[in-house]
Structure formats: structure tokens, C-alpha cells
Amino acid sequence: LTQWINHPAKKCCKSYPASVCDKDAKLMTPCSSDASFMPDNSLDGWTTCKARIMEWSAEEHNMLEAAFKVGSCNDFSLSWGESLSDWIRGVAQQCCSDYPATVCDMTAKAMTPCKDPSDFLPDAPLDQWCEFHGKYPSSENCSSAGCHTWEHDMGYGMMEIGCSCDSAASCKTVGAEWFMNSCGARINEWGPEEHKALEES
């Protein structure tokens, strides 16, 4: 019965995940506190953090509440076998302002590779690259933009000719997309385990 009413309850009940089957169910987030949850943040480029947690079932919200009460996600797993901590990680990274602190570890601290927190340069570029999405310009256009051509033997007499650009300006000149990953973005990709290991080192 619970599974049967779950979908209409999501769409039709303003107090969801509370329903006729579980009147005390509470809407939970993956964050260490309600204050650190960023409901309007874009998640994966197509939805919001609030919309994502509204997709979760009442069972999943109840599990998060139980983990919150004990202060740990140890011994909590989803029905398909995935641990609760792994399941919330991606959402927590994008939706919790104090990540890596989460409902699974409310005291987790964001760490850096630097000897002192004041040394860290979060906006410094760490990785930069020109993405062609498989659509390379001609060798002439590549070279005229200040980029470099390369060749790859694909076998069977087929040769792929590509292009490599070292700057945002030259990359845009050939119609490609320039990407930059900052130092701050990189440490946000680390999981709670990595942050904890650095804190304890």
C-alpha cells in the first residue's frame, strides 16, 4: 500500500513525505542541518536540490531521519544494497553549503592539500582544456587559430586528425568550448572519507 500511494502522495500532498500510511514522516535533506541545505541550487544542470529530494520515497526520508538521530549512516543501506552515505554523496556535494558535513557525519570538515587553510587558493585554475565534443576543425583552421593538430591511427587505413588548443581565446576561435576546473571545485569532488583522512593526517 505504501508503494502504491507514494507517487500520488508526492504530487498531491503538500506535507509529503507524510501520508496516510506514515503521518509522522519528515522531509529530510542530505545535509548536516536544514540551514545548510540550498534548495534552489542547480543539480546536475537540469533540476534543483529541492526537486531532487522531493523525488525520494517516504522510506528513504525515514532512513535519513533515523541516520540523523544517531549521527551516522553506518549500517544504513538502500533496498538495492547501496550504502546510504554513497547514495547521498552526489546530492550533498551540490546542495549542502557545509559539505563534506552531511547527515552521515555532521562534524566533517572541508580540508585542502595546503599546510595552512589560509594558503589555499580556491579560485586558482587547476585543470584547463579545450573540448571539441568530437567535432574537430580542419588542420588549416586549427593552425591559423594558434592551436596544434595531431594525428591518430585508427587502423584499417583510417587516420583521425584532431586539434589541441592551449588557451581559451584560441579554443573559442575554432568554435570549441573551454573548460576550467578550479582548486575549490576539485576539493569539493572529494568524498567525506578523503576529507577525514586529511584531517587526521
Side-chain angles (χ1 to χ4, degrees), residues 127-137 141-142 145-148 150 162-181:
D127 302 306
Q128 303 177 79
W129 70 97
C130 187
E131 181 58 62
F132 292 88
H133 302 289
K135 298 178 181 179
Y136 295 106
N141 289 342
C142 179
C147 303
H148 315 285
W150 52 263
C163 184
S164 175
C165 303
D166 299 325
S167 72
S170 59
C171 179
K172 292 177 181 178
T173 298
V174 294
E177 190 173 5
W178 185 255
F179 284 92
M180 189 275 285
N181 198 26

Side-chain angles (χ1 to χ4, degrees), residues 3-13 16:
Q3 292 181 342
W4 178 62
I5 69 161
N6 194 65
H7 179 66
K10 284 180 184 179
K11 302 293 185 180
C12 308
C13 305
Y16 180 82

Side-chain angles (χ1 to χ4, degrees), residues 89-110:
R89 176 173 169 173
V91 179
Q93 285 174 321
Q94 300 175 72
C95 302
C96 303
S97 62
D98 58 350
Y99 181 83
T102 67
V103 67
C104 296
D105 187 347
M106 289 176 259
T107 61
K109 180 182 176 183

Side-chain angles (χ1 to χ4, degrees), residues 69-126:
K69 287 178 178 178
V70 299
S72 171
C73 290
N74 292 343
D75 303 323
F76 289 98
S77 297
L78 284 299
S79 58
W80 54 90
E82 184 178 12
S83 70
L84 183 60
S85 58
D86 286 344
W87 182 67
I88 67 166
R89 176 173 169 173
V91 179
Q93 285 174 321
Q94 300 175 72
C95 302
C96 303
S97 62
D98 58 350
Y99 181 83
T102 67
V103 67
C104 296
D105 187 347
M106 289 176 259
T107 61
K109 180 182 176 183
M111 300 297 295
T112 78
C114 306
K115 69 182 184 71
D116 295 310
S118 59
D119 285 350
F120 188 59
L121 304 171
D123 297 323
L126 179 61

